[in-house]
Amino acid sequence: MPESALGRWLKGLRDDRSLSLRDVSQRGEVDHAYVYRLETGAKESPSVDVITKLIEALTPSSRNVEILRFLASHPSVDVGLADFAREDESVTPEEFHMLTTVVNRGARPDYATSLARIRRFMQEEDDG
């Protein structure tokens, strides 16, 4: 079954809290089978209501909430990018959004290099 960035992010948030699918289902009042389908990528683009319920159930940081909402409305985000941002908590939601727009030419995206370029650009903009 194909994975999605949203699914990986949701599963990561659930794992961070050591919650089962049923725990999240009960806390958020969302069918556990639907949560499973979101996590596996079988379903994408859940409603704002469902995302809100999942956020209430998972109680993630504000950074993770912003990225989760972004992923819910952008199903084509690369799974590797989501993994990169989950591992590097210094990646802000704004930087994450910018990374999703970077065109990677070559066999393998280099998110760290792209992030460094984005940060340099943003610093130059701030310096003015």
Side-chain angles (χ1 to χ4, degrees), residues 68-112:
L68 180 64
R69 288 188 187 279
F70 180 84
L71 292 172
S73 61
H74 296 83
S76 63
V77 172
D78 181 53
V79 173
L81 176 55
D83 290 343
F84 172 79
R86 283 232 358 113
E87 291 171 15
D88 183 351
E89 292 187 16
S90 75
V91 177
T92 66
E94 181 182 18
E95 291 168 340
F96 182 80
H97 182 221
M98 293 172 111
L99 281 167
T100 66
T101 66
V102 172
V103 176
N104 290 293
R105 296 173 192 205
R108 193 169 171 209
D110 183 352
Y111 301 118

mmCIF file of all heavy atoms in Angstrom, residues 68-112:
data_model
loop_
_atom_site.group_PDB
_atom_site.id
_atom_site.type_symbol
_atom_site.label_atom_id
_atom_site.label_comp_id
_atom_site.label_asym_id
_atom_site.label_seq_id
_atom_site.Cartn_x
_atom_site.Cartn_y
_atom_site.Cartn_z
ATOM 1 N N LEU A 68 1.047 19.244 10.241
ATOM 2 C CA LEU A 68 -0.019 18.264 10.026
ATOM 3 C C LEU A 68 -1.143 18.858 9.182
ATOM 4 O O LEU A 68 -1.607 18.236 8.228
ATOM 5 C CB LEU A 68 -0.560 17.773 11.369
ATOM 6 C CG LEU A 68 -1.671 16.737 11.324
ATOM 7 C CD1 LEU A 68 -1.172 15.441 10.692
ATOM 8 C CD2 LEU A 68 -2.199 16.474 12.716
ATOM 9 N N ARG A 69 -1.565 20.067 9.518
ATOM 10 C CA ARG A 69 -2.621 20.723 8.728
ATOM 11 C C ARG A 69 -2.163 20.948 7.279
ATOM 12 O O ARG A 69 -2.934 20.769 6.346
ATOM 13 C CB ARG A 69 -3.033 22.041 9.368
ATOM 14 C CG ARG A 69 -3.829 21.869 10.651
ATOM 15 C CD ARG A 69 -4.394 23.200 11.139
ATOM 16 N NE ARG A 69 -5.020 23.107 12.420
ATOM 17 C CZ ARG A 69 -6.258 22.658 12.634
ATOM 18 N NH1 ARG A 69 -6.991 22.267 11.630
ATOM 19 N NH2 ARG A 69 -6.759 22.617 13.858
ATOM 20 N N PHE A 70 -0.912 21.334 7.104
ATOM 21 C CA PHE A 70 -0.378 21.530 5.757
ATOM 22 C C PHE A 70 -0.413 20.213 4.974
ATOM 23 O O PHE A 70 -0.861 20.172 3.830
ATOM 24 C CB PHE A 70 1.056 22.067 5.820
ATOM 25 C CG PHE A 70 1.669 22.298 4.473
ATOM 26 C CD1 PHE A 70 1.441 23.473 3.791
ATOM 27 C CD2 PHE A 70 2.460 21.323 3.878
ATOM 28 C CE1 PHE A 70 1.991 23.677 2.523
ATOM 29 C CE2 PHE A 70 3.011 21.513 2.623
ATOM 30 C CZ PHE A 70 2.780 22.695 1.947
ATOM 31 N N LEU A 71 0.049 19.137 5.600
ATOM 32 C CA LEU A 71 0.085 17.840 4.923
ATOM 33 C C LEU A 71 -1.317 17.351 4.560
ATOM 34 O O LEU A 71 -1.508 16.713 3.524
ATOM 35 C CB LEU A 71 0.803 16.801 5.786
ATOM 36 C CG LEU A 71 2.298 17.024 5.967
ATOM 37 C CD1 LEU A 71 2.858 16.054 7.001
ATOM 38 C CD2 LEU A 71 3.034 16.907 4.645
ATOM 39 N N ALA A 72 -2.292 17.651 5.411
ATOM 40 C CA ALA A 72 -3.662 17.220 5.145
ATOM 41 C C ALA A 72 -4.227 17.886 3.896
ATOM 42 O O ALA A 72 -5.055 17.299 3.199
ATOM 43 C CB ALA A 72 -4.553 17.523 6.346
ATOM 44 N N SER A 73 -3.751 19.073 3.594
ATOM 45 C CA SER A 73 -4.260 19.775 2.412
ATOM 46 C C SER A 73 -3.307 19.705 1.213
ATOM 47 O O SER A 73 -3.595 20.275 0.163
ATOM 48 C CB SER A 73 -4.554 21.239 2.756
ATOM 49 O OG SER A 73 -3.384 21.898 3.173
ATOM 50 N N HIS A 74 -2.190 19.006 1.369
ATOM 51 C CA HIS A 74 -1.209 18.848 0.287
ATOM 52 C C HIS A 74 -0.770 17.382 0.214
ATOM 53 O O HIS A 74 0.330 17.031 0.679
ATOM 54 C CB HIS A 74 -0.005 19.753 0.507
ATOM 55 C CG HIS A 74 -0.330 21.205 0.463
ATOM 56 N ND1 HIS A 74 -0.825 21.874 1.561
ATOM 57 C CD2 HIS A 74 -0.265 22.109 -0.547
ATOM 58 C CE1 HIS A 74 -1.032 23.141 1.220
ATOM 59 N NE2 HIS A 74 -0.708 23.307 -0.045
ATOM 60 N N PRO A 75 -1.599 16.525 -0.357
ATOM 61 C CA PRO A 75 -1.312 15.085 -0.343
ATOM 62 C C PRO A 75 -0.110 14.645 -1.164
ATOM 63 O O PRO A 75 0.357 13.525 -1.001
ATOM 64 C CB PRO A 75 -2.598 14.462 -0.879
ATOM 65 C CG PRO A 75 -3.275 15.543 -1.637
ATOM 66 C CD PRO A 75 -2.882 16.824 -0.983
ATOM 67 N N SER A 76 0.432 15.511 -1.987
ATOM 68 C CA SER A 76 1.535 15.080 -2.844
ATOM 69 C C SER A 76 2.917 15.334 -2.245
ATOM 70 O O SER A 76 3.931 15.102 -2.907
ATOM 71 C CB SER A 76 1.436 15.774 -4.212
ATOM 72 O OG SER A 76 1.568 17.175 -4.041
ATOM 73 N N VAL A 77 2.991 15.765 -0.992
ATOM 74 C CA VAL A 77 4.290 16.014 -0.356
ATOM 75 C C VAL A 77 5.058 14.700 -0.250
ATOM 76 O O VAL A 77 4.510 13.657 0.108
ATOM 77 C CB VAL A 77 4.116 16.668 1.035
ATOM 78 C CG1 VAL A 77 5.434 16.746 1.779
ATOM 79 C CG2 VAL A 77 3.500 18.056 0.890
ATOM 80 N N ASP A 78 6.339 14.780 -0.549
ATOM 81 C CA ASP A 78 7.210 13.610 -0.523
ATOM 82 C C ASP A 78 7.328 13.040 0.891
ATOM 83 O O ASP A 78 7.544 13.777 1.857
ATOM 84 C CB ASP A 78 8.583 14.005 -1.054
ATOM 85 C CG ASP A 78 9.554 12.851 -1.091
ATOM 86 O OD1 ASP A 78 9.212 11.801 -1.670
ATOM 87 O OD2 ASP A 78 10.663 12.996 -0.537
ATOM 88 N N VAL A 79 7.188 11.730 1.000
ATOM 89 C CA VAL A 79 7.297 11.043 2.287
ATOM 90 C C VAL A 79 8.674 11.267 2.902
ATOM 91 O O VAL A 79 8.811 11.476 4.112
ATOM 92 C CB VAL A 79 7.008 9.534 2.130
ATOM 93 C CG1 VAL A 79 7.275 8.786 3.422
ATOM 94 C CG2 VAL A 79 5.578 9.308 1.667
ATOM 95 N N GLY A 80 9.703 11.265 2.080
ATOM 96 C CA GLY A 80 11.057 11.486 2.572
ATOM 97 C C GLY A 80 11.219 12.847 3.221
ATOM 98 O O GLY A 80 11.941 12.994 4.213
ATOM 99 N N LEU A 81 10.558 13.853 2.676
ATOM 100 C CA LEU A 81 10.613 15.189 3.251
ATOM 101 C C LEU A 81 9.933 15.205 4.623
ATOM 102 O O LEU A 81 10.444 15.805 5.569
ATOM 103 C CB LEU A 81 9.963 16.215 2.323
ATOM 104 C CG LEU A 81 9.867 17.636 2.860
ATOM 105 C CD1 LEU A 81 11.216 18.169 3.297
ATOM 106 C CD2 LEU A 81 9.223 18.537 1.820
ATOM 107 N N ALA A 82 8.805 14.532 4.734
ATOM 108 C CA ALA A 82 8.122 14.452 6.027
ATOM 109 C C ALA A 82 9.021 13.766 7.055
ATOM 110 O O ALA A 82 9.120 14.223 8.197
ATOM 111 C CB ALA A 82 6.794 13.713 5.885
ATOM 112 N N ASP A 83 9.671 12.697 6.654
ATOM 113 C CA ASP A 83 10.590 11.995 7.558
ATOM 114 C C ASP A 83 11.734 12.915 7.994
ATOM 115 O O ASP A 83 12.109 12.957 9.167
ATOM 116 C CB ASP A 83 11.162 10.741 6.900
ATOM 117 C CG ASP A 83 10.138 9.642 6.718
ATOM 118 O OD1 ASP A 83 9.068 9.685 7.369
ATOM 119 O OD2 ASP A 83 10.401 8.722 5.909
ATOM 120 N N PHE A 84 12.288 13.654 7.040
ATOM 121 C CA PHE A 84 13.384 14.584 7.328
ATOM 122 C C PHE A 84 12.944 15.619 8.365
ATOM 123 O O PHE A 84 13.656 15.875 9.347
ATOM 124 C CB PHE A 84 13.835 15.279 6.034
ATOM 125 C CG PHE A 84 14.827 16.383 6.250
ATOM 126 C CD1 PHE A 84 16.167 16.107 6.475
ATOM 127 C CD2 PHE A 84 14.421 17.711 6.229
ATOM 128 C CE1 PHE A 84 17.086 17.129 6.680
ATOM 129 C CE2 PHE A 84 15.328 18.736 6.439
ATOM 130 C CZ PHE A 84 16.662 18.453 6.661
ATOM 131 N N ALA A 85 11.768 16.199 8.168
ATOM 132 C CA ALA A 85 11.282 17.234 9.084
ATOM 133 C C ALA A 85 10.918 16.667 10.455
ATOM 134 O O ALA A 85 11.078 17.338 11.472
ATOM 135 C CB ALA A 85 10.078 17.947 8.477
ATOM 136 N N ARG A 86 10.456 15.426 10.497
ATOM 137 C CA ARG A 86 10.152 14.801 11.803
ATOM 138 C C ARG A 86 11.443 14.570 12.586
ATOM 139 O O ARG A 86 11.469 14.711 13.801
ATOM 140 C CB ARG A 86 9.419 13.468 11.624
ATOM 141 C CG ARG A 86 8.001 13.662 11.279
ATOM 142 C CD ARG A 86 6.931 12.964 12.061
ATOM 143 N NE ARG A 86 7.243 12.071 13.123
ATOM 144 C CZ ARG A 86 6.950 12.325 14.404
ATOM 145 N NH1 ARG A 86 6.397 13.464 14.752
ATOM 146 N NH2 ARG A 86 7.216 11.431 15.330
ATOM 147 N N GLU A 87 12.502 14.214 11.891
ATOM 148 C CA GLU A 87 13.782 13.949 12.555
ATOM 149 C C GLU A 87 14.486 15.233 12.984
ATOM 150 O O GLU A 87 15.194 15.237 13.982
ATOM 151 C CB GLU A 87 14.695 13.142 11.634
ATOM 152 C CG GLU A 87 14.215 11.726 11.415
ATOM 153 C CD GLU A 87 15.007 10.995 10.340
ATOM 154 O OE1 GLU A 87 16.100 11.472 9.965
ATOM 155 O OE2 GLU A 87 14.513 9.955 9.881
ATOM 156 N N ASP A 88 14.291 16.308 12.218
ATOM 157 C CA ASP A 88 14.948 17.578 12.520
ATOM 158 C C ASP A 88 13.891 18.575 12.985
ATOM 159 O O ASP A 88 13.283 19.284 12.194
ATOM 160 C CB ASP A 88 15.673 18.110 11.281
ATOM 161 C CG ASP A 88 16.435 19.400 11.541
ATOM 162 O OD1 ASP A 88 16.274 20.000 12.637
ATOM 163 O OD2 ASP A 88 17.185 19.824 10.640
ATOM 164 N N GLU A 89 13.699 18.635 14.293
ATOM 165 C CA GLU A 89 12.648 19.489 14.846
ATOM 166 C C GLU A 89 12.954 20.975 14.720
ATOM 167 O O GLU A 89 12.104 21.813 15.043
ATOM 168 C CB GLU A 89 12.367 19.107 16.293
ATOM 169 C CG GLU A 89 11.720 17.739 16.390
ATOM 170 C CD GLU A 89 11.274 17.388 17.792
ATOM 171 O OE1 GLU A 89 11.180 18.300 18.644
ATOM 172 O OE2 GLU A 89 11.026 16.203 18.035
ATOM 173 N N SER A 90 14.152 21.314 14.238
ATOM 174 C CA SER A 90 14.462 22.730 14.024
ATOM 175 C C SER A 90 13.801 23.261 12.757
ATOM 176 O O SER A 90 13.741 24.471 12.560
ATOM 177 C CB SER A 90 15.975 22.938 13.956
ATOM 178 O OG SER A 90 16.504 22.491 12.706
ATOM 179 N N VAL A 91 13.298 22.367 11.907
ATOM 180 C CA VAL A 91 12.621 22.786 10.679
ATOM 181 C C VAL A 91 11.283 23.417 11.071
ATOM 182 O O VAL A 91 10.419 22.761 11.655
ATOM 183 C CB VAL A 91 12.383 21.597 9.717
ATOM 184 C CG1 VAL A 91 11.614 22.048 8.482
ATOM 185 C CG2 VAL A 91 13.698 20.949 9.331
ATOM 186 N N THR A 92 11.141 24.701 10.754
ATOM 187 C CA THR A 92 9.904 25.405 11.094
ATOM 188 C C THR A 92 8.825 25.078 10.055
ATOM 189 O O THR A 92 9.144 24.635 8.940
ATOM 190 C CB THR A 92 10.123 26.925 11.102
ATOM 191 O OG1 THR A 92 10.408 27.355 9.759
ATOM 192 C CG2 THR A 92 11.250 27.322 12.056
ATOM 193 N N PRO A 93 7.565 25.329 10.392
ATOM 194 C CA PRO A 93 6.507 25.119 9.396
ATOM 195 C C PRO A 93 6.727 25.939 8.127
ATOM 196 O O PRO A 93 6.482 25.452 7.021
ATOM 197 C CB PRO A 93 5.238 25.560 10.133
ATOM 198 C CG PRO A 93 5.540 25.276 11.567
ATOM 199 C CD PRO A 93 7.008 25.623 11.716
ATOM 200 N N GLU A 94 7.224 27.163 8.269
ATOM 201 C CA GLU A 94 7.496 27.992 7.095
ATOM 202 C C GLU A 94 8.590 27.364 6.224
ATOM 203 O O GLU A 94 8.472 27.301 4.997
ATOM 204 C CB GLU A 94 7.912 29.399 7.521
ATOM 205 C CG GLU A 94 8.189 30.322 6.356
ATOM 206 C CD GLU A 94 8.652 31.704 6.789
ATOM 207 O OE1 GLU A 94 9.093 31.875 7.945
ATOM 208 O OE2 GLU A 94 8.590 32.613 5.941
ATOM 209 N N GLU A 95 9.645 26.900 6.856
ATOM 210 C CA GLU A 95 10.726 26.244 6.117
ATOM 211 C C GLU A 95 10.223 24.960 5.470
ATOM 212 O O GLU A 95 10.577 24.659 4.326
ATOM 213 C CB GLU A 95 11.902 25.939 7.038
ATOM 214 C CG GLU A 95 12.636 27.174 7.516
ATOM 215 C CD GLU A 95 13.615 26.903 8.643
ATOM 216 O OE1 GLU A 95 13.502 25.872 9.333
ATOM 217 O OE2 GLU A 95 14.503 27.756 8.835
ATOM 218 N N PHE A 96 9.406 24.218 6.199
ATOM 219 C CA PHE A 96 8.846 22.986 5.640
ATOM 220 C C PHE A 96 8.053 23.292 4.377
ATOM 221 O O PHE A 96 8.215 22.631 3.353
ATOM 222 C CB PHE A 96 7.956 22.285 6.682
ATOM 223 C CG PHE A 96 7.381 20.992 6.179
ATOM 224 C CD1 PHE A 96 8.141 19.838 6.165
ATOM 225 C CD2 PHE A 96 6.077 20.928 5.712
ATOM 226 C CE1 PHE A 96 7.621 18.635 5.691
ATOM 227 C CE2 PHE A 96 5.539 19.738 5.242
ATOM 228 C CZ PHE A 96 6.317 18.588 5.230
ATOM 229 N N HIS A 97 7.204 24.300 4.452
ATOM 230 C CA HIS A 97 6.418 24.690 3.283
ATOM 231 C C HIS A 97 7.331 25.058 2.116
ATOM 232 O O HIS A 97 7.098 24.655 0.967
ATOM 233 C CB HIS A 97 5.487 25.849 3.637
ATOM 234 C CG HIS A 97 4.623 26.283 2.507
ATOM 235 N ND1 HIS A 97 4.367 27.586 2.246
ATOM 236 C CD2 HIS A 97 3.970 25.574 1.558
ATOM 237 C CE1 HIS A 97 3.586 27.684 1.174
ATOM 238 N NE2 HIS A 97 3.344 26.471 0.741
ATOM 239 N N MET A 98 8.372 25.816 2.398
ATOM 240 C CA MET A 98 9.318 26.192 1.346
ATOM 241 C C MET A 98 10.011 24.964 0.765
ATOM 242 O O MET A 98 10.213 24.881 -0.445
ATOM 243 C CB MET A 98 10.337 27.190 1.876
ATOM 244 C CG MET A 98 9.732 28.524 2.228
ATOM 245 S SD MET A 98 10.919 29.574 3.057
ATOM 246 C CE MET A 98 11.166 30.797 1.789
ATOM 247 N N LEU A 99 10.366 24.017 1.617
ATOM 248 C CA LEU A 99 11.017 22.792 1.134
ATOM 249 C C LEU A 99 10.116 22.009 0.194
ATOM 250 O O LEU A 99 10.599 21.341 -0.722
ATOM 251 C CB LEU A 99 11.442 21.913 2.308
ATOM 252 C CG LEU A 99 12.717 22.316 3.022
ATOM 253 C CD1 LEU A 99 12.850 21.578 4.345
ATOM 254 C CD2 LEU A 99 13.931 22.060 2.140
ATOM 255 N N THR A 100 8.814 22.086 0.402
ATOM 256 C CA THR A 100 7.903 21.340 -0.481
ATOM 257 C C THR A 100 7.867 21.920 -1.887
ATOM 258 O O THR A 100 7.425 21.247 -2.812
ATOM 259 C CB THR A 100 6.455 21.289 0.067
ATOM 260 O OG1 THR A 100 5.891 22.606 0.069
ATOM 261 C CG2 THR A 100 6.403 20.664 1.439
ATOM 262 N N THR A 101 8.336 23.140 -2.037
ATOM 263 C CA THR A 101 8.314 23.776 -3.359
ATOM 264 C C THR A 101 9.632 23.650 -4.106
ATOM 265 O O THR A 101 9.723 24.027 -5.268
ATOM 266 C CB THR A 101 7.956 25.273 -3.248
ATOM 267 O OG1 THR A 101 9.003 25.959 -2.552
ATOM 268 C CG2 THR A 101 6.636 25.469 -2.523
ATOM 269 N N VAL A 102 10.667 23.141 -3.424
ATOM 270 C CA VAL A 102 11.978 22.995 -4.046
ATOM 271 C C VAL A 102 11.939 21.849 -5.051
ATOM 272 O O VAL A 102 11.485 20.750 -4.743
ATOM 273 C CB VAL A 102 13.077 22.725 -2.978
ATOM 274 C CG1 VAL A 102 14.399 22.389 -3.628
ATOM 275 C CG2 VAL A 102 13.206 23.919 -2.060
ATOM 276 N N VAL A 103 12.402 22.130 -6.245
ATOM 277 C CA VAL A 103 12.490 21.092 -7.270
ATOM 278 C C VAL A 103 13.855 20.432 -7.144
ATOM 279 O O VAL A 103 14.879 21.097 -7.252
ATOM 280 C CB VAL A 103 12.313 21.694 -8.686
ATOM 281 C CG1 VAL A 103 12.507 20.629 -9.739
ATOM 282 C CG2 VAL A 103 10.958 22.361 -8.818
ATOM 283 N N ASN A 104 13.832 19.142 -6.863
ATOM 284 C CA ASN A 104 15.090 18.407 -6.722
ATOM 285 C C ASN A 104 15.438 17.746 -8.043
ATOM 286 O O ASN A 104 14.714 16.882 -8.510
ATOM 287 C CB ASN A 104 14.960 17.354 -5.622
ATOM 288 C CG ASN A 104 14.871 17.984 -4.266
ATOM 289 O OD1 ASN A 104 15.834 18.570 -3.806
ATOM 290 N ND2 ASN A 104 13.713 17.896 -3.644
ATOM 291 N N ARG A 105 16.540 18.176 -8.607
ATOM 292 C CA ARG A 105 16.994 17.577 -9.856
ATOM 293 C C ARG A 105 18.095 16.607 -9.534
ATOM 294 O O ARG A 105 19.102 16.960 -8.961
ATOM 295 C CB ARG A 105 17.486 18.655 -10.795
ATOM 296 C CG ARG A 105 16.334 19.555 -11.150
ATOM 297 C CD ARG A 105 16.750 20.730 -11.921
ATOM 298 N NE ARG A 105 15.587 21.617 -11.911
ATOM 299 C CZ ARG A 105 15.344 22.510 -12.803
ATOM 300 N NH1 ARG A 105 16.165 22.689 -13.771
ATOM 301 N NH2 ARG A 105 14.277 23.248 -12.716
ATOM 302 N N GLY A 106 17.873 15.396 -9.899
ATOM 303 C CA GLY A 106 18.844 14.364 -9.580
ATOM 304 C C GLY A 106 18.134 13.151 -9.021
ATOM 305 O O GLY A 106 16.927 13.127 -8.846
ATOM 306 N N ALA A 107 18.910 12.166 -8.713
ATOM 307 C CA ALA A 107 18.343 10.896 -8.286
ATOM 308 C C ALA A 107 17.765 10.950 -6.880
ATOM 309 O O ALA A 107 16.799 10.278 -6.591
ATOM 310 C CB ALA A 107 19.414 9.810 -8.359
ATOM 311 N N ARG A 108 18.353 11.767 -6.022
ATOM 312 C CA ARG A 108 17.939 11.732 -4.629
ATOM 313 C C ARG A 108 17.891 13.144 -4.053
ATOM 314 O O ARG A 108 18.874 13.879 -4.098
ATOM 315 C CB ARG A 108 18.951 10.899 -3.867
ATOM 316 C CG ARG A 108 18.533 10.514 -2.521
ATOM 317 C CD ARG A 108 19.504 9.481 -1.991
ATOM 318 N NE ARG A 108 19.197 9.291 -0.587
ATOM 319 C CZ ARG A 108 20.057 8.943 0.311
ATOM 320 N NH1 ARG A 108 21.302 8.723 -0.023
ATOM 321 N NH2 ARG A 108 19.699 8.799 1.545
ATOM 322 N N PRO A 109 16.758 13.538 -3.488
ATOM 323 C CA PRO A 109 16.670 14.882 -2.909
ATOM 324 C C PRO A 109 17.612 15.030 -1.714
ATOM 325 O O PRO A 109 17.762 14.112 -0.917
ATOM 326 C CB PRO A 109 15.220 14.985 -2.441
ATOM 327 C CG PRO A 109 14.495 13.833 -3.024
ATOM 328 C CD PRO A 109 15.512 12.801 -3.394
ATOM 329 N N ASP A 110 18.218 16.185 -1.611
ATOM 330 C CA ASP A 110 19.092 16.493 -0.491
ATOM 331 C C ASP A 110 18.418 17.600 0.322
ATOM 332 O O ASP A 110 18.639 18.787 0.098
ATOM 333 C CB ASP A 110 20.460 16.939 -0.989
ATOM 334 C CG ASP A 110 21.455 17.205 0.138
ATOM 335 O OD1 ASP A 110 21.038 17.197 1.319
ATOM 336 O OD2 ASP A 110 22.632 17.434 -0.177
ATOM 337 N N TYR A 111 17.570 17.182 1.262
ATOM 338 C CA TYR A 111 16.781 18.133 2.025
ATOM 339 C C TYR A 111 17.644 19.026 2.906
ATOM 340 O O TYR A 111 17.334 20.199 3.088
ATOM 341 C CB TYR A 111 15.726 17.408 2.863
ATOM 342 C CG TYR A 111 14.787 16.598 2.026
ATOM 343 C CD1 TYR A 111 14.703 15.225 2.181
ATOM 344 C CD2 TYR A 111 13.992 17.202 1.066
ATOM 345 C CE1 TYR A 111 13.839 14.474 1.399
ATOM 346 C CE2 TYR A 111 13.121 16.451 0.280
ATOM 347 C CZ TYR A 111 13.053 15.089 0.458
ATOM 348 O OH TYR A 111 12.203 14.352 -0.322
ATOM 349 N N ALA A 112 18.719 18.488 3.456
ATOM 350 C CA ALA A 112 19.576 19.278 4.332
ATOM 351 C C ALA A 112 20.211 20.442 3.563
ATOM 352 O O ALA A 112 20.252 21.568 4.065
ATOM 353 C CB ALA A 112 20.648 18.405 4.967
#
